[in-house]
Amino acid sequence: MDFLAEFLQANMTMIYVLILAIYLGLELISKVPTVLHTPLMSGSNAISGVVVIGAIILVRSVESNDYLALSLGFVGCTLGMINVVGGHAVTNRMLEMFKKRK
Amino acid sequence: MDFLAEFLQANMTMIYVLILAIYLGLELISKVPTVLHTPLMSGSNAISGVVVIGAIILVRSVESNDYLALSLGFVGCTLGMINVVGGHAVTNRMLEMFKKRK
Amino acid sequence: MTGLIELGNLAAVILFILGLKRLSSPATARQGNLFAAAGMGLAIVLALAIPLPDGGDNNYLWILAALALGSVIGIVSSKRVAMTAMPQMVSIFNGLGGACAVAISVVELMKYQTMESVPMGEHVTTLFAMFVGAVAFTGSILAYLKLDGKVNDNKLKIPAPTVVNMTLLAAILAGIAFRTLMPGEPIYWAFVVMGISLIYGVTFVVPIGGADMPVVISLLNALSGVAGALAGVVYDSQVMLVGGILVGASGTILTVLMCEAMNRSLWNVIVGGFGGSTTGAAASGDQTITEISTSDAAILMGYSESVVIVPGYGMAVSKAQNEAHELEKILESRGVRVRYAIHPVAGRMPGHMNVLLAEADVSYDKLLDLEDANNALASTDVAVVIGANDVVNPAAKEDKGSPIYGMPILDILQARQTIVMKRSMRSGYAGIENPLFYHQKNRMLFGDAKDTLSKLVAEVKNLG
Amino acid sequence: MTGLIELGNLAAVILFILGLKRLSSPATARQGNLFAAAGMGLAIVLALAIPLPDGGDNNYLWILAALALGSVIGIVSSKRVAMTAMPQMVSIFNGLGGACAVAISVVELMKYQTMESVPMGEHVTTLFAMFVGAVAFTGSILAYLKLDGKVNDNKLKIPAPTVVNMTLLAAILAGIAFRTLMPGEPIYWAFVVMGISLIYGVTFVVPIGGADMPVVISLLNALSGVAGALAGVVYDSQVMLVGGILVGASGTILTVLMCEAMNRSLWNVIVGGFGGSTTGAAASGDQTITEISTSDAAILMGYSESVVIVPGYGMAVSKAQNEAHELEKILESRGVRVRYAIHPVAGRMPGHMNVLLAEADVSYDKLLDLEDANNALASTDVAVVIGANDVVNPAAKEDKGSPIYGMPILDILQARQTIVMKRSMRSGYAGIENPLFYHQKNRMLFGDAKDTLSKLVAEVKNLG
Amino acid sequence: MIFGILTEQQDSRVAMVPATAKKMIAAGHEVWVEPGAGALAFYSDQDYQAAGVKLVNAKGILAGAEAIVSHNPLSESLMAQLAPGRILISMFSPRSNPAVKEQFASSNLLAFSMDMIPRSSLAQSMDVLSSMASLAGYRAVLLAATHLPGYFPMLMTAAGTIPPAKVLVLGAGVAGLQAIATSRRMGARVEAFDVRAAVKEEVESLGAKFIEVAGATEDKGAGGYAVQQSEEYQQRQRELIHDHASKCDVIITTANIPGRKAPLLIEQRTVEAMRAGSVVIDLASATGGNCALTQDGHTIRHGGVTIIGDSNLTMGMPRDASLLYANNVWSFVDFTFKKGKDQIDFSHEIVASTFLGQVPQPA
Amino acid sequence: MIFGILTEQQDSRVAMVPATAKKMIAAGHEVWVEPGAGALAFYSDQDYQAAGVKLVNAKGILAGAEAIVSHNPLSESLMAQLAPGRILISMFSPRSNPAVKEQFASSNLLAFSMDMIPRSSLAQSMDVLSSMASLAGYRAVLLAATHLPGYFPMLMTAAGTIPPAKVLVLGAGVAGLQAIATSRRMGARVEAFDVRAAVKEEVESLGAKFIEVAGATEDKGAGGYAVQQSEEYQQRQRELIHDHASKCDVIITTANIPGRKAPLLIEQRTVEAMRAGSVVIDLASATGGNCALTQDGHTIRHGGVTIIGDSNLTMGMPRDASLLYANNVWSFVDFTFKKGKDQIDFSHEIVASTFLGQVPQPA
Ligand SMILES: NC(=O)c1ccc[n+]([C@@H]2O[C@H](COP(=O)([O-])OP(=O)(O)OC[C@H]3O[C@@H](n4cnc5c(N)ncnc54)[C@H](OP(=O)(O)O)[C@@H]3O)[C@@H](O)[C@H]2O)c1
Ligand SMILES: NC(=O)c1ccc[n+]([C@@H]2O[C@H](COP(=O)([O-])OP(=O)(O)OC[C@H]3O[C@@H](n4cnc5c(N)ncnc54)[C@H](OP(=O)(O)O)[C@@H]3O)[C@@H](O)[C@H]2O)c1
Ligand SMILES: NC(=O)c1ccc[n+]([C@@H]2O[C@H](COP(=O)([O-])OP(=O)(O)OC[C@H]3O[C@@H](n4cnc5c(N)ncnc54)[C@H](O)[C@@H]3O)[C@@H](O)[C@H]2O)c1
Ligand SMILES: NC(=O)c1ccc[n+]([C@@H]2O[C@H](COP(=O)([O-])OP(=O)(O)OC[C@H]3O[C@@H](n4cnc5c(N)ncnc54)[C@H](O)[C@@H]3O)[C@@H](O)[C@H]2O)c1
């Protein structure tokens, strides 16, 4: 309880960021038409690949002889990158049909 | 320049709050119909009365014999409060017409 | 304790957000206002409760007195004000908000005098808060005076306003910079800055046409939002900060929207000059007509009890009968009673309107002939004229001189409000002026009937 | 330096936001995806550039290799996959994202072992990241298998799934708590938690029907977003945090929207049971029909080159001719070529359709008779059947046994895609089954023609 | 005032109907109707009595009524029996036979000709020409449809597709517009032509296509009426009309130029170019007809084409024709005799233009 | 095969039109037409020749044509001249006179009666009854409108408001529905009644009001046709119809029960309760009429009400009537004689139901 209060006060700004971001997340797509459900899912899934950033930082910060960490990190980077790149690519394909005819 | 970088790093979270809040501000009312322009203005004007909070904290924190500060603060509180209360009241009146008929 | 209070403040912020959101759609607007108010109430209470870092002796009496006083004034004045004078009221309130910001920053600044080292960031922020607050203050007051016609655009003028304003602005910024960089200098420098700011508020508004005041107020409102946010930084209060920012941001976009609504750019509103004429009331000869936007028209009808549609030759020309029927149906679906008033000579051949409305499959039972219509109109909220002119020309009743004097017309001015859709101010078949258009009960909705109607239908749908 | 990088990250976040925003409207969706991608690219570059607090020896080779490898795999697989298999693909990708989160949290956890005091907050966050990531990982993979039909709902079952899941969940939370409170204990406890999480991912998805997988994927996607955010906290990277949160939030609401779209509650999807039948493909006898939502139908038509409308008795019954005309007009305004195929015996009297369409003022030149229609249909993108049945019944051509064998019909299956609007699967005048409805080219759009059409018109308007 | 209505000679209509009579009586007038006057228009004597009308025989009416209302002018013999100062309200069509002007100038009867009501917005409630023209326009289409050996509307049936009938309306005045509207309703494709360019918009407002011939002379002074056109214009016009006419199934002509012979719009060659079974309805036949082959009051066959010349189509709808006429008259009466028959404002446009004969000098 | 078409006796229609003949010839048949046969239907001999038809006189046709197509059955005398095995395609209406069945049973001619085509979706392209009924329904409205002394549509004019005409349609089969659609188009208020409840939806789909009488007997076996109704049902029905009928301006009756006398729906008292000027069009007059006062083939006046009994309205539109009939026949021929006249599948519903006489035993 007390610990919680502490914590709250310490990270209040952070919490604001959270709340605002969450609300924004909801607000942004609240009016998406059904057709876009899948593309949107795929797109945001690609974004969820941000974890790759974590992987990168991780690999950068471990000693270059700690092979376990490195290889795990390597795997992480690869997987994350697949998620990111593949995700966006797939999304883009899904959205082909929305090319404007002129 | 350097000072700026410093500052940025120090208050990054704060800046995020700013950015998010601003974007949210824009996003929220981007689709308001013309009829609501005035009520909306009036409503947000009432919100802009938050400064009254400042006035309150101010008065609370000054010595109770510093009459200049007190009276200035008093004025501040009063004006701010007028803005807040009056604002919301007026807005409410403007919106009378939107009462749902059943 | 403080942690929870912080949470409370967060709640307040969320209430603000939801409030604004709801305020932007007719169906939820009132609720939105209440949300915002609740948020504010909460914030205030918390501000009273939150333990101060360095003790301080609270002075609750002063505060409560002030709050009580403020509330009373606020309530009373808002009850008193006439529906038509609302914008003026808002503008005054906004001014007071600005003043409040000024007041507290002054105190802060004086406090800094007593401290040996002043944190630069805080100092500059405070000065900005004062500046912005001051502009909002005097600006709003002048806006109020102009709106209320107490000050006349043509009376009050300044030469080369843009130059003047730029100069003042420069001076203020310089002043702030100077003040922050050498806080040692005597305090009155701060007041000099304040003074110029107050003046700037005036000179900023002077060149802008009275008809553009709403835009200005919205802009100043955004400013006072910013002032609040700045103050928030000073007192590092998230509520003030975020609340202020929200107002600042939404206020700005709202201002832009307002300009778009009267299709002008914010810039040409501010540098002013040709304010007025293009907007709100337009002058033709000595009389003036008032336009109405489709969305306002939509609200007007959507929230009325009964609507009478008066079709004329213009409906035929633009083949708008189906759209008219659309409008009828969607209004009916909102519980509005809709009927058509058919003037015997509307159109260009006997029964012209009948043919068209039948084609659009409008039920015969909704058609009122001259007599029934004139009875029905008395108890009608909105009479909508779709491309009719002569058949609703009051001159036939009032103006002995008129060539159509004595011809029976649809006396739509009996209705609470009338809206006339046509493309221009051109006259109809009989080629005579129509006083109806200039009547203060009437609003003009210009454009091809078909387009206008389909826009209208869309807007009514949006009312939700 | 770092300051600027931080700014860069901020930019990335903004790109994410704008990207999501644009992704939610057909007109801007592609652009949105690019925005998001750009943001991601920026973030990655910055992550490589940002100076590490405690030096660290970068290992760029490893990283670049990994990134390159990942990119290649990503590109290739996304190019390879068939349009129809997209959702499966997404689900795999999502799984990998989860796995990535697991990987890094494992490393982190091991790192903690080496430190004497572990900051509790960080520790718990990491564990949660691992947990969530693990669930997303195994869950997505199973979802993929189910979607791809590699795993059959009826084959793979667990008794009392809700109980099982609750237990596992409890175990995991307990594990996390235990781990954080006594970090001294051997590391494998962490892996136990991980193991259970991986299992939970499976048991969570098992009871949910294959037809509901899209919803599940969306949900898991939201989860991996959260995982990312948590990781963000660990590495205190704002991009990861905000980016993750955005995905988490929008993913959640998207999931809810998806459920609404097939009018079910998220809850009854998750506790599963009656998945399938009500959604996507519905079974009638042995054959299955596929439904389509109005908005999908709107897209289909709105972005096509040519549409042929086939009216039938159903249009007459629901008096939908005006709405049909509406649809025609709005499609034409988008540059789509629209015509009507009139079958000689459509309706209940000779010329039934002619009477109605004339009433709606549809131009005669847009009406195609049987012969012309069957020629036109070959080069038609979408054929929309409005309450017709017998006149588009392929049995007349194919099924010698059929009572209407030999009757000339509108052969709409020549069109690229067909949509049939009717209220139910009931048969028409001739009282016979219609194979068209079950054809894989065909989509059913159930409901009263009039309502359906006006919804459709609205949706097409929204395409903007 | 006392208004008298006699039975019309060879006309199915009647100049007053019960409903209107009721209004007049309510306004303090008296209405006398000859027994059986309304029979052919389906208004029975009982109906009249129920409305408060007095049934009076011809003799009585001629003797006692202050004003006599009729569609067609009274015969010489009847008029002879009228006392001086009596009022006559009828359609004397002074435009086509100016003689009547002299006649009344020399007589001491006050004659008002309903067909001279100005075509102003104000006077529209008295505008008999509009009421009758609109009836004629409507009925012309019915006639055409009945004589056409096929459908008007388009029909796509199991026994083949019937294309919509093509209708060409020449002269888009009140009658023309009504004809356009009615044909459209019945599902025909309609084209129309008129010298007055103003009409284009009106025609299109009814969903018909307007055929334009460049360079028509217009005369605003003509109060919306058409004026004589230049020779070479007429040439161009004839060519164009010929092209369109020969492609269509029904032609309805309503082209009139007040006081002059109706313009010739359809030549023989045009008729002969038309498809067998086609129909031409000429509403201008009374003033010579718009079609070269028209015979006023007769239905003839030229090749496969049926040509009907009839300017009295309204007689085919006596009930409504009588009703509308009666109402027009009542509006006129109410306007003109409001202050009593000795207080007529002969200077007012409406009165002036309808009045025949010389203004009585106030004694 | 060689198809012969003779001039119809007192009928304006013709059994074959150039356009259709062209199709038949293209399909390898020969078509002979008697000179002038199409004249009254506005099809000239040139048109036929242009389509590849051979003009042959009656004698020649009777002698040489393998099949003779006509609207009305040939006269005894003509039939006597036909060689055995000749095919006759016409409307023998065996339902109303079963005698023909015997006649052909004893003769050695192959007669197909187009009016016996089953009312199935499949057979609709041959369904003469539909084509003709739809023509009749359309024309009935024209007739009614022309006889009505007033407007059909509502008109709010300066000379008063004319309410829309009220039309009541009894029997909403093909003819009835077409009548409803047409009246609606012309702006009338339409009510309709039929014993078959299924029709309600169809009637409303055309924007008319359906009058419901509870408790009708239906017989799905009757293939969409109506069946005899119980006495007290008919009583209730008559009352209801009486109420509605007496309030309306036009009644169009199309009520038929195949093979029986048409049901009586409008009694004398009802007619007498109707407003003067009203019109009754009885399309069922041939089978006795739905109105008590109907006289088949005559237009009578009862009180103020005009009653027209006519089951041959299609003759008023010979051009399209002939066209549709010809197409129906062609679809039937193409279906029945595809494999040649010796390979007819007499077992098929369509053939079976139309064929009269006994099936020729394959030698
Ligand atoms: N009923 C008859 O038998 C008959 C026959 C002949 C003459 N008249 C006369 O016609 C007149 C009828 O009166 P009315 O009020 O129906 O018509 P009106 O007085 O002629 O007025 C029609 C109005 O519609 C507007 N308009 C035209 N096109 C339009 C479009 N596309 N969209 C929107 N508005 C459009 C015009 O104004 P803008 O140009 O500014 O758009 C015009 O002022 C009377 O004077 C009557 O006497 C009647
Ligand atoms: N043209 C003629 O002269 C004539 C005369 C008599 C019979 N027929 C026969 O009628 C048939 C005509 O074929 P058709 O395809 O036009 O009609 P149909 O085969 O009868 O099919 C009509 C379909 O419309 C649907 N429907 C009914 N009400 C609806 C509503 N309110 N909204 C949406 N859908 C609705 C019905 O399905 P749900 O119930 O599931 O909605 C029904 O399956 C042919 O068999 C023809 O032979 C024609
Ligand atoms: N003010 C009113 O309320 C009112 C009411 C009714 C009519 N009017 C006006 O009165 C005028 C006459 O109406 P009307 O129906 O009695 O006209 P009309 O009967 O005198 O003539 C019928 C039409 O024939 C046309 N015409 C003449 N010569 C022609 C030619 N050579 N080729 C083609 N067309 C030719 C005329 O332009 C007219 O439109 C119209 O302008 C009408 O709008 C006004
Ligand atoms: N399958 C097809 O494509 C097709 C084509 C045409 C007609 N049909 C069907 O054939 C059937 C007969 O059509 P029809 O026009 O030849 O009918 P019809 O001419 O035999 O009779 C006309 C109408 O009179 C009605 N009727 C009979 N007795 C009545 C009474 N006592 N009161 C009121 N109404 C009465 C009948 O129900 C029928 O609707 C209808 O069901 C029609 O739908 C089917």
Side-chain angles (χ1 to χ4, degrees), chain F residues 166-170 189-193 211 241 244-245 248 250-253 266:
Chain F
K166 276 189 136 209
V167 175
L168 173 61
V169 175
L170 298 176
R189 278 204 169 153
V190 186
E191 292 180 326
F193 168 74
I211 304 173
I241 292 181
H244 287 266
C248 65
V250 173
I251 300 182
I252 295 173
T253 69
I266 306 288

Side-chain angles (χ1 to χ4, degrees), chain D residues 429, chain F residues 119-121 124 127 130 171-174 193-196 224-226 237 254-257 263 265:
Chain D
Y429 181 91
Chain F
R119 310 304 289 270
S120 68
S121 299
Q124 238 190 308
D127 185 354
S130 281
V174 176
F193 168 74
D194 194 307
V195 275
R196 294 181 298 121
Y225 285 112
Q237 171 189 107
T254 76
N256 272 319
I257 308 171
L265 302 172

Side-chain angles (χ1 to χ4, degrees), chain D residues 183-423:
Chain D
E185 297 298 314
I187 177 85
Y188 60 71
W189 281 113
F191 297 123
V192 172
V193 173
M194 178 171 85
I196 310 179
S197 307
L198 291 168
I199 297 170
Y200 177 68
V202 175
T203 56
F204 173 74
V205 177
V206 164
I208 305 176
D212 290 338
M213 279 310 121
V215 179
V216 175
I217 299 176
S218 169
L219 191 59
L220 296 172
N221 170 37
L223 274 189
S224 49
V226 176
L230 291 168
V233 176
V234 177
Y235 295 99
D236 92 58
S237 143
Q238 310 286 5
V239 210
M240 288 173 76
L241 176 66
V242 181
I245 292 296
L246 285 172
V247 174
S250 56
T252 317
I253 191 95
L254 179 56
T255 314
V256 175
L257 290 175
M258 282 176 153
C259 296
E260 282 173 359
M262 46 198 228
N263 37 49
R264 327 221 341 236
S265 77
L266 179 52
W267 177 246
N268 94 24
V269 168
I270 290 179
V271 299
F274 41 96
S277 58
T278 49
T279 85
S284 138
D286 46 356
Q287 307 156 292
T288 69
I289 60 165
T290 321
E291 287 189 46
I292 186 173
S293 71
T294 39
S295 57
D296 293 13
I299 300 282
L300 219 52
M301 298 185 212
Y303 286 93
S304 68
E305 300 277 331
S306 64
V307 168
V308 165
I309 297 176
V310 181
Y313 180 58
M315 185 187 81
V317 171
S318 70
K319 301 218 186 64
Q321 51 267 33
N322 283 313
E323 286 69 15
H325 189 206
E326 274 291 302
L327 181 64
E328 171 211 321
K329 281 184 295 182
I330 183 150
L331 284 176
E332 291 265 344
S333 72
R334 292 178 57 87
V336 183
R337 177 156 192 225
V338 183
R339 282 162 306 171
Y340 298 78
I342 310 298
H343 189 285
V345 309
R348 286 293 183 274
M349 68 165 195
H352 201 163
M353 296 302 121
N354 297 108
V355 176
L356 301 175
L357 294 178
E359 182 188 321
D361 207 19
V362 171
S363 149
Y364 285 139
D365 315 325
K366 293 195 158 297
L367 308 189
L368 304 175
D369 64 14
L370 190 58
E371 209 169 310
D372 304 349
N374 279 331
N375 298 334
L377 278 164
S379 60
T380 299
D381 294 331
V382 188
V384 192
V385 176
I386 305 179
N389 190 340
D390 299 344
V391 299
V392 291
N393 190 337
K397 268 176 60 213
E398 296 143 9
D399 169 4
K400 281 207 165 7
S402 165
I404 60 167
Y405 180 73
M407 161 172 148
I409 58 148
L410 286 166
D411 183 9
I412 65 172
L413 282 172
Q414 296 178 81
R416 280 241 210 74
Q417 169 92 51
T418 70
I419 299 177
V420 173
M421 300 184 191
K422 62 203 298 284
R423 297 165 306 182

Side-chain angles (χ1 to χ4, degrees), chain B residues 14 17-18 21-22 24-26 28-64 67-74 76-101, chain C residues 16-17 21 23-26 29-30 33 36-37 40 43-44 47-48 50 52 56-60 62-63 65-67 69-71 73-75 78-79 81 83 86 89-90 93-94 96-97 99-100 104 107-108 110 214 217-218 221 224 228 235 240-242 245-247 249-250 253-254 257-258 261 295-296 299 302-305:
Chain B
M14 186 58 97
V17 174
L18 284 184
I22 290 175
L24 204 52
L26 307 185
L28 279 175
I29 68 156
S30 51
K31 280 175 212 57
V32 59
T34 333
V35 258
L36 282 176
H37 283 176
T38 318
L40 180 56
M41 175 172 82
S42 166
S44 64
N45 163 50
I47 298 182
S48 76
V50 269
V51 286
V52 76
I53 304 286
I56 294 174
I57 298 179
L58 174 101
V59 177
R60 283 185 58 197
S61 51
V62 299
E63 282 86 34
S64 39
Y67 290 105
L68 175 52
L70 273 180
S71 35
L72 270 172
F74 179 87
C77 283
T78 319
L79 298 183
M81 203 58 182
I82 296 179
N83 185 0
V84 172
V85 177
H88 284 300
V90 166
T91 314
N92 201 44
R93 272 192 65 190
M94 288 184 187
L95 295 171
E96 291 284 281
M97 71 168 294
F98 294 112
K99 276 218 191 80
K100 268 250 165 298
R101 268 182 293 88
Chain C
F16 289 162
I17 295 177
K21 173 75 183 166
L23 262 170
S24 63
S25 131
R30 315 189 71 230
N33 185 41
M40 190 60 75
I44 293 179
L48 291 169
I50 192 166
L52 297 175
D57 19 8
N58 284 330
N59 315 306
Y60 279 125
W62 288 81
I63 299 177
L67 296 186
L69 178 58
S71 313
I73 300 179
I75 295 282
S78 64
K79 285 267 162 302
V81 60
M83 258 303 177
M86 292 280 180
M89 204 71 229
V90 175
F93 288 152
N94 188 49
L96 300 187
C100 171
I104 58 180
V107 178
E108 284 296 319
M110 295 191 306
I217 299 177
S218 168
N221 171 36
S224 49
Y235 295 100
M240 287 174 77
L241 176 67
V242 181
I245 292 296
L246 284 174
V247 174
S250 56
I253 192 98
L254 179 56
L257 290 176
M258 282 176 153
S295 57
D296 291 13
I299 299 281
Y303 286 93
S304 68
E305 300 277 333

